[in-house]
Amino acid sequence: MLKYQQTATEIEAYIERHALQQGDKLPVLDQLIRQFEVSKTTMTKALELLERKGTIFQVRGSGIFVRKTNRKGYIELFSTQGFKQNLVEHDIQSKVLSFELIPCPEEIIENLGSPPGEMVYAIKRIRYIDGNIMCLEESYYRQTIVPYLNREIVEQSIFEYLETALGLNIGFSDMYMHVGKLPDSIAQFLELEAGDPALTVETIFHLTNGRPFDYSVITYHYEHSQFVVQANGLYL
Amino acid sequence: MLKYQQTATEIEAYIERHALQQGDKLPVLDQLIRQFEVSKTTMTKALELLERKGTIFQVRGSGIFVRKTNRKGYIELFSTQGFKQNLVEHDIQSKVLSFELIPCPEEIIENLGSPPGEMVYAIKRIRYIDGNIMCLEESYYRQTIVPYLNREIVEQSIFEYLETALGLNIGFSDMYMHVGKLPDSIAQFLELEAGDPALTVETIFHLTNGRPFDYSVITYHYEHSQFVVQANGLYL
DNA sequence: CATTATAATTGTACATGTACAATTTATCAA
DNA sequence: TTGATAAATTGTACATGTACAATTATAATG
């Protein structure tokens, strides 16, 4: 683990240990540097990371303050997959509806940039959050990049397997979101009525080297999912 | 404008000028440093900014590559307000339904952290994208921070006024999203039926110093809005 | 010709240091 | 007490430099 990531984790632990709340002030930068025994660069990067994550905000001339949402039960939309809720990890279960290795379907090719005839793992599963149906997920993994998957892995967290067991470096993703009426074919999986509202999120995941390896379509159960995003201005 | 922001803008111009496409390689770091005549720190920060923005991605040992979505017509969800679409700014119009200065309503107080009795500008407007109804927006601005607003400003871009005319520094925001069925009261503004699907986004905007100044609830027209987010892993 | 080992390329991590801008605190005048 | 002014505090911008890890290109080997 990189030093600035490690430092960020330690600062999070510090916040937790001291039970700091929204708006509470952290030690001054110089103090943090001495306290955690890192250089200014490293501390700055650690703080920047936490700022992007929404854990703190920094005010020049004033100090470094913790940032917390006061709402509970929201899913963090950008938790690099792996549905995390505010502070609390929740109980996520998966029921695998289908799992097969097939030639990449036409309509997926453009999203994954697959060469013709490439094989992909096609997985359909229902995901539960604390016992409630959260979403239906259909995902496609390029076998060229993910050489092996099995039903057991797919019942757990696929991404954790990719990162730890396969050592893949997940980089960035393009997400496309829209709202619409549920078609009957999907409604039945979510135990909802056709025509009910639904949020659909298509995501193309890339490795750090830019190669797309996973295309997924997630349809959320509108009653069992709400999202929080702690954003930082992009300016420019 | 800061040097690294300026540099980032110039690199964007470079990409545009050379008509670089998805996956095309930029000059190597050292070359960029010489070419744009900045230090390594500045160039790195500029590139990091563009990476967060989703304009490029960097691969160690390999190079810097441009990143572009191939889909058109999606609204960038995190364009620091000011609905921007992929590359193209679109024609945004606003119809002001109501504009008043009132004591902060009960249910808004907790979101804005207003002291009791504080006055807020309450604005309700419909926003059109290329002539189509995009969303209904209800927003509340604390008069303590935004001392003056008028109907004319509100018909244009409020945020631009805040930043340029008032010199406010917009920092970060908390967004809460959920999907549901339209109540009749809102459906009529969007020219939809009650029960139709809708995405509702509540946002609390803060200044760089952490003070919340704007709470807004936006209900999107499900047929005239879809969103793109180009995310970068957060790790940790 | 394919494979493996080696070297060159290229971006990232990290350290140190200077200057500065936004904020807060202290000081002083009215 | 109030309000302006100066000083101290504190984070950010920016420059330079070293070391290193991931990738790619090259050379050596069978």
Side-chain angles (χ1 to χ4, degrees):
Chain A
M1 197 180 209
L2 296 171
K3 200 166 179 181
Y4 75 90
Q5 291 177 339
Q6 178 59 38
T7 305
T9 307
E10 286 174 24
I11 293 172
E12 283 186 321
Y14 176 95
I15 292 172
E16 196 63 30
R17 191 166 63 250
H18 293 255
L20 298 184
Q21 296 305 309
Q22 166 77 28
D24 284 355
K25 189 175 176 179
L26 265 68
V28 181
L29 186 60
D30 286 334
Q31 170 62 23
L32 287 173
I33 289 169
R34 284 192 300 274
Q35 194 164 324
F36 291 90
E37 293 177 305
V38 296
S39 77
K40 190 166 51 167
T41 311
T42 304
M43 184 51 73
T44 303
K45 285 208 72 171
L47 293 171
E48 186 196 312
L49 186 62
L50 292 176
E51 194 163 36
R52 277 207 287 151
K53 215 183 149 192
T55 309
I56 62 166
F57 65 94
Q58 304 183 71
V59 184
R60 160 151 61 181
S62 182
I64 304 159
F65 305 90
V66 323
R67 181 176 168 199
K68 279 188 177 162
T69 58
N70 48 0
R71 301 195 189 184
K72 307 291 178 195
Y74 285 76
I75 299 164
E76 286 180 25
L77 195 54
F78 304 118
S79 200
T80 328
Q81 195 83 335
F83 306 101
K84 206 194 277 182
Q85 293 206 197
N86 332 8
L87 306 178
V88 200
E89 294 266 8
H90 269 242
D91 175 41
I92 305 292
Q93 297 291 331
S94 303
K95 182 165 79 180
V96 179
L97 300 178
S98 66
F99 171 78
E100 43 185 0
L101 184 59
I102 57 172
C104 187
E106 270 301 327
E107 67 276 18
I108 313 295
I109 286 183
E110 55 187 319
N111 290 307
L112 284 180
S114 300
E118 189 181 41
M119 299 299 280
V120 295
Y121 285 104
I123 300 147
K124 186 186 273 192
R125 52 183 189 173
I126 296 177
R127 311 209 73 183
Y128 300 84
I129 185 163
D130 297 326
N132 292 315
I133 296 178
M134 177 171 66
C135 62
L136 172 70
E137 178 197 79
E138 301 173 84
S139 53
Y140 303 85
Y141 293 85
R142 296 172 62 185
Q143 199 195 19
T144 316
I145 299 176
V146 183
Y148 179 73
L149 274 180
N150 63 36
R151 224 178 164 93
E152 202 170 340
I153 295 165
V154 166
E155 276 165 359
Q156 312 299 319
S157 170
I158 299 176
F159 270 57
E160 189 176 319
Y161 164 76
L162 298 181
E163 286 190 304
T164 60
L166 291 186
L168 293 182
N169 298 110
I170 292 146
F172 54 91
S173 54
D174 298 332
M175 300 179 54
Y176 302 95
M177 308 173 33
H178 73 268
V179 172
K181 295 180 180 177
L182 274 177
D184 188 55
S185 58
I186 295 180
Q188 61 189 35
F189 289 117
L190 296 178
E191 296 177 9
L192 288 170
E193 303 291 322
D196 275 349
L199 174 68
T200 305
V201 181
E202 294 173 74
T203 311
I204 302 168
F205 290 94
H206 307 255
L207 300 177
T208 44
N209 64 15
R211 296 172 67 195
F213 69 96
D214 173 25
Y215 169 74
S216 79
V217 185
I218 298 181
T219 307
Y220 286 95
H221 189 298
Y222 76 104
E223 288 173 322
H224 301 152
S225 61
Q226 48 186 0
F227 309 91
V228 60
V229 178
Q230 298 195 273
N232 304 289
L234 268 187
Y235 326 104
L236 201 63
Chain B
M1 198 181 208
L2 295 172
K3 200 166 180 179
Y4 75 90
Q5 291 177 338
Q6 177 60 36
T7 305
T9 307
E10 286 173 24
I11 293 172
E12 283 187 320
Y14 176 95
I15 292 172
E16 196 62 31
R17 191 166 63 249
H18 293 253
L20 298 184
Q21 297 304 311
Q22 166 76 29
D24 284 357
K25 189 175 176 180
L26 265 68
V28 292
L29 187 61
D30 287 335
Q31 169 63 23
L32 286 173
I33 289 170
R34 283 193 300 274
Q35 194 165 325
F36 292 90
E37 293 177 303
V38 295
S39 78
K40 189 165 52 167
T41 311
T42 304
M43 184 53 73
T44 303
K45 284 208 72 171
L47 293 171
E48 187 196 313
L49 185 63
L50 291 176
E51 193 163 37
R52 277 207 288 151
K53 214 184 150 191
T55 309
I56 61 166
F57 65 94
Q58 304 183 72
V59 185
R60 162 151 62 182
S62 182
I64 304 160
F65 305 89
V66 320
R67 181 176 168 199
K68 279 188 177 161
T69 57
N70 48 1
R71 301 195 189 184
K72 306 292 178 195
Y74 285 77
I75 299 165
E76 287 180 24
L77 195 53
F78 305 120
S79 199
T80 327
Q81 194 84 335
F83 306 102
K84 208 194 276 182
Q85 294 206 195
N86 330 9
L87 305 179
V88 200
E89 293 267 7
H90 268 243
D91 176 42
I92 304 292
Q93 297 292 332
S94 302
K95 182 165 79 182
V96 179
L97 299 177
S98 67
F99 171 77
E100 41 184 0
L101 184 59
I102 57 171
C104 188
E106 268 303 328
E107 67 276 19
I108 313 297
I109 285 183
E110 57 187 318
N111 291 306
L112 284 180
S114 299
E118 189 181 40
M119 299 299 281
V120 296
Y121 284 104
I123 300 147
K124 186 186 273 192
R125 53 184 189 171
I126 297 177
R127 311 208 72 185
Y128 299 85
I129 186 165
D130 297 326
N132 292 315
I133 295 177
M134 177 171 66
C135 62
L136 172 69
E137 179 197 79
E138 300 173 83
S139 54
Y140 303 84
Y141 292 85
R142 296 172 63 186
Q143 199 195 18
T144 315
I145 298 175
V146 183
Y148 180 72
L149 274 180
N150 64 35
R151 224 177 165 94
E152 203 171 341
I153 295 164
V154 166
E155 276 166 359
Q156 311 299 318
S157 170
I158 299 176
F159 270 56
E160 190 177 317
Y161 165 75
L162 298 181
E163 286 188 304
T164 60
L166 290 187
L168 293 181
N169 298 111
I170 292 146
F172 54 91
S173 55
D174 297 334
M175 299 178 53
Y176 302 95
M177 306 172 35
H178 73 270
V179 173
K181 295 180 181 178
L182 274 177
D184 188 55
S185 57
I186 294 180
Q188 60 188 39
F189 289 117
L190 297 178
E191 296 177 10
L192 289 170
E193 303 290 322
D196 276 349
L199 174 68
T200 304
V201 181
E202 295 172 76
T203 311
I204 301 168
F205 290 94
H206 306 255
L207 300 177
T208 45
N209 65 15
R211 296 171 68 195
F213 69 96
D214 173 25
Y215 170 72
S216 79
V217 185
I218 298 181
T219 307
Y220 286 94
H221 189 298
Y222 76 105
E223 288 173 322
H224 301 151
S225 61
Q226 47 187 2
F227 309 91
V228 60
V229 179
Q230 297 194 275
N232 304 287
L234 268 189
Y235 326 105
L236 200 66

